Amino acid sequence: MTMLRDPSVKYSAFPQVPLAKREWPARTITRAPIWLSTDLRDGNQSLIDPMDAEKKTRFFDLLVKAGFKEIEVGFPASGATDFDYIQNLVRSGRVPDDVTPQVLTQSRADLIRTSFDSLAGAKTAIVHVYNALAPAWRKIVFGMDKDDIKAIAIDGAKQLRDNAARLPDTDWRFQYSPECFSTTELDFSIEVCEAVMEILKPTSANPIILNLPATVEAATPNIYADQIEYFAKNLPNRDAAIISLHTHNDRGTGVAAAELGLLAGADRVEGCLFGNGERTGNTCLVTIALNMYTQGVDPGLDFSNIDEVIATVEYCNNLPVHPRHPYGGALVYTAFSGSHQDAIKKGFAARERQNDERWEVPYLPIDPADLGRSYEAVIRVNSQSGKGGVAWVLEQDKGLKLPKKMQASFSHIVQALADETSRELGAEDIWQAFERAYLTTDAKRFQLVDWSESHAGTDRIFAGKLTIDGIERSVSGRGNGLMSSVIAALAESGGPVMDIVDYSEHAIGQGSNVQAAAYVECRTADGKSLFGCGLDTDVATASVRAILSAANGA
């Protein structure tokens, strides 16, 4: 069987929402929502090997450290493993006073009672009841009509009310989910949620959480936003409800759907770190939070050490975070392309010149340092890289700031090495290539042994000991400056006849460890450009070495 040429015979387009004068497209996210991590429940139930108590505890501690105030800790009615973990979590005192644990249960009396018992002794807790409302579930899964489905929700609400009264020492909060909300008739969802609210009697001071899941993502994010806005505008007693979002990523737009849902009036977002969850996963809370951060909005979550977060998530889930995952992936701040590298390098240089707090670096929507990442891996070199990338690596690794023309010349050497090896080149590869080209004196024609300088009127006289073609010789030359006198000495000793085209220098390091780097571009009589670099604690000696380095390239 192959893909259909006319998929409309098998699949139907999702209908539009009858929403007049939609308001969400003109809004902006200006504050963080309430966050609910469901890593320990929705995320855990989707794992090949679900977490044991040790991993769950480690994950819970991570979520608390990151700043989550509401955490869905499990599905206690599913079995002893979850029930015992939740009971131990509550009794151990591990839950901070400002963190509320939440559990999920189907709308069945015995399961709801078990869920309450798992949280007995908690200071405050949320019990989350759900039942599916969508037509496909009513027809195919349950064989029930709307009245039957509504009755299940109402009975669940009564069980919430009665069990809370049974255990009065805990401040109980209630959450109801019309499962498959995004594929259910909107007016029916509102009708059922209104019926649940009539039983539980929420107020603006003690609101119910109404979670509106895209259990299976079936439409574009704008339709989900329309559904949320329609629901919010038509729900009676809206002030007594916290509208929560739970988007999945079946169409690859779970994050977008959640963001547009917030624009549409939602107050809360459920999801998992790095998008774990059933099928293609839940919405990624890290991505949504850091999207806000890049717009100047404090998300209320702390991912300052994102590599530590990733290490814990990968260990507990036994799943890798994709190297291209937004914000957290190993390669998301890395540029291999030459044009990208050049733009990034110029962006960092502009920040140094302007000393501006505002972040504006091409290709980097966030400062990697804010998430605990260094700049060393921002630019990496392979056969696709350009001069800017090579220069960046040398600057970050060795402190060398190559002149622009020298960058271009050296990049050809690196490009040839990358083509030859057919792999990424690390900082050490690039440094060794630079040493071979400009610094290593072994097997080079001209090697510096010693030198001195004197003056004769306005002229400067260079007197040096050089090893030339393996033989130590004394040489001298006269010029109007140190470098021109070195060039004269080389020419008189059989070296190339050169003129200086460009020279620059800078310090590397600080204090007693400072070293000078000197760069020179020379041109031979036949028009060939030669580049040289010299390093030394003495800037004049570095300049001499740079001239000899250029001559060795003739």
Side-chain angles (χ1 to χ4, degrees):
M1 186 173 180
T2 60
M3 290 180 65
L4 302 173
R5 297 301 301 271
D6 180 13
S8 67
V9 302
K10 189 173 184 179
Y11 303 100
S12 299
F14 202 90
Q16 295 291 314
V17 176
L19 181 64
K21 298 180 180 179
R22 58 181 51 82
E23 298 177 32
W24 65 261
R27 294 176 182 159
T28 302
I29 296 174
T30 58
R31 61 183 177 85
I34 301 167
W35 301 104
L36 183 282
S37 162
T38 187
D39 288 274
L40 300 179
R41 197 278 301 171
D42 198 340
N44 185 54
Q45 75 183 38
S46 68
L47 299 176
I48 298 171
D49 298 310
M51 289 180 257
D52 58 18
E54 184 271 331
K55 287 184 175 180
K56 274 200 160 191
T57 300
R58 183 167 173 176
F59 211 130
F60 179 83
D61 291 345
L62 171 71
L63 294 169
V64 170
K65 183 178 179 180
F68 285 91
K69 302 304 180 186
E70 296 182 3
I71 302 172
E72 194 163 63
V73 292
F75 199 144
S78 66
T81 300
D82 259 18
F83 185 93
D84 292 344
Y85 165 74
I86 294 165
Q87 262 285 278
N88 290 334
L89 184 69
V90 171
R91 292 175 177 174
S92 68
R94 202 176 198 96
V95 181
D97 287 345
D98 63 345
V99 173
T100 302
Q102 173 175 305
V103 297
L104 177 76
T105 175
Q106 294 161 318
S107 185
R108 267 177 44 190
D110 57 331
L111 303 184
I112 294 173
R113 185 181 183 90
T114 299
S115 299
F116 272 85
D117 289 343
S118 74
L119 290 167
K123 179 182 178 181
T124 183
I126 301 170
V127 179
H128 176 191
V129 168
Y130 75 95
N131 69 304
L133 275 57
W137 272 254
R138 298 197 305 262
K139 179 177 63 175
I140 299 170
V141 181
F142 304 123
M144 293 181 176
D145 61 20
K146 286 183 176 181
D147 289 340
D148 296 328
I149 295 294
K150 182 178 175 181
I152 292 174
I154 291 172
D155 184 62
K158 291 177 180 178
Q159 295 297 325
L160 290 176
R161 178 195 62 195
D162 296 345
N163 277 279
R166 180 173 64 87
L167 299 169
D169 292 338
T170 297
D171 177 17
W172 297 104
R173 296 168 57 200
F174 307 127
Q175 175 169 328
Y176 173 70
S177 287
E179 190 188 8
C180 309
F181 164 81
S182 61
T183 52
T184 299
E185 305 92 334
L186 281 168
D187 290 330
F188 182 52
S189 290
I190 294 170
E191 178 185 335
V192 173
C193 288
E194 183 182 5
V196 169
M197 292 173 73
E198 287 175 358
I199 300 297
L200 296 174
K201 308 296 183 186
T203 64
S204 57
N206 187 27
I208 187 174
I209 301 168
L210 295 178
N211 185 51
L212 307 179
T215 305
V216 178
E217 188 176 39
T220 50
N222 62 296
I223 289 180
Y224 185 67
D226 281 350
Q227 292 172 326
I228 300 302
E229 184 169 329
Y230 183 98
F231 183 94
K233 285 180 174 179
N234 290 279
L235 177 71
N237 201 16
R238 166 68 178 91
D239 290 344
I242 292 171
I243 293 181
S244 184
L245 309 175
H246 184 118
T247 58
H248 280 254
N249 204 41
D250 298 272
R251 292 170 55 91
T253 54
V255 167
E259 290 181 325
L260 298 191
L262 289 174
L263 294 177
D267 312 294
R268 185 174 184 260
V269 174
E270 297 189 4
C272 292
L273 301 187
F274 303 108
N276 184 37
E278 299 282 8
R279 303 178 310 281
T280 55
N282 293 272
T283 192
C284 174
L285 299 183
V286 175
T287 302
I288 298 176
L290 294 179
N291 282 351
M292 292 180 188
Y293 183 82
T294 64
Q295 303 303 299
V297 177
D298 179 7
L301 297 176
D302 186 1
F303 298 116
S304 296
N305 189 343
I306 202 162
D307 288 331
E308 177 186 306
V309 176
I310 291 170
T312 300
V313 171
E314 290 185 329
Y315 167 75
C316 294
N317 289 342
N318 197 24
L319 289 172
V321 172
H322 194 282
R324 296 294 182 192
H325 194 98
Y327 299 110
L331 296 177
V332 296
Y333 306 114
T334 300
F336 290 101
S337 163
S339 60
H340 289 212
Q341 293 172 341
D342 184 61
I344 292 170
K345 182 174 180 293
K346 288 175 179 175
F348 277 104
R351 282 183 59 77
E352 288 185 9
R353 291 194 304 270
Q354 297 166 4
N355 194 26
D356 188 355
E357 285 295 317
R358 309 303 297 182
W359 180 254
E360 189 179 22
V361 176
Y363 295 112
L364 293 178
I366 194 172
D367 185 349
D370 289 357
L371 305 180
R373 292 273 177 90
S374 72
Y375 296 137
E376 292 179 6
V378 168
I379 291 175
R380 289 161 60 176
V381 176
N382 62 16
S383 61
Q384 304 300 305
S385 305
K387 64 181 186 299
V390 173
W392 168 270
V393 172
L394 279 176
E395 182 173 347
Q396 295 299 304
D397 189 53
K398 299 297 182 181
L400 299 180
K401 300 178 182 179
L402 273 58
K404 192 170 183 179
K405 289 185 179 179
M406 189 175 185
Q407 292 178 25
S409 178
F410 180 54
S411 70
H412 293 307
I413 296 173
V414 175
Q415 179 75 40
L417 179 61
D419 288 338
E420 177 186 339
T421 58
S422 298
R423 63 174 175 84
E424 178 188 353
L425 300 180
E428 187 60 27
D429 295 315
I430 294 171
W431 173 242
Q432 289 176 3
F434 189 83
E435 282 189 309
R436 287 193 298 270
Y438 304 110
L439 301 179
T440 303
T441 57
D442 294 343
K444 297 289 187 180
R445 186 180 181 197
F446 302 102
Q447 302 175 34
L448 180 65
V449 178
D450 194 11
W451 74 280
S452 62
E453 179 185 25
S454 59
H455 294 77
T458 58
D459 287 345
R460 299 174 75 173
I461 300 173
F462 169 81
K465 288 184 179 180
L466 304 180
T467 299
I468 303 177
D469 296 327
I471 300 173
E472 186 173 308
R473 295 173 52 182
S474 295
V475 299
S476 64
R478 180 187 294 257
N480 59 6
L482 172 61
M483 288 185 288
S484 62
S485 65
V486 175
I487 286 176
L490 286 171
E492 292 174 10
S493 306
V497 177
M498 305 184 298
D499 291 321
I500 297 175
V501 176
D502 187 43
Y503 172 82
S504 62
E505 63 186 45
H506 66 80
I508 303 175
Q510 294 180 341
S512 59
N513 295 321
V514 71
Q515 192 174 34
Y519 310 96
V520 65
E521 178 187 357
C522 298
R523 184 169 294 129
T524 63
D526 60 359
K528 181 181 179 181
S529 290
L530 302 173
F531 296 92
C533 175
L535 304 178
D536 201 275
T537 54
D538 173 64
V539 66
T541 302
S543 301
V544 173
R545 293 187 186 281
I547 294 293
L548 297 178
S549 172
N552 282 323

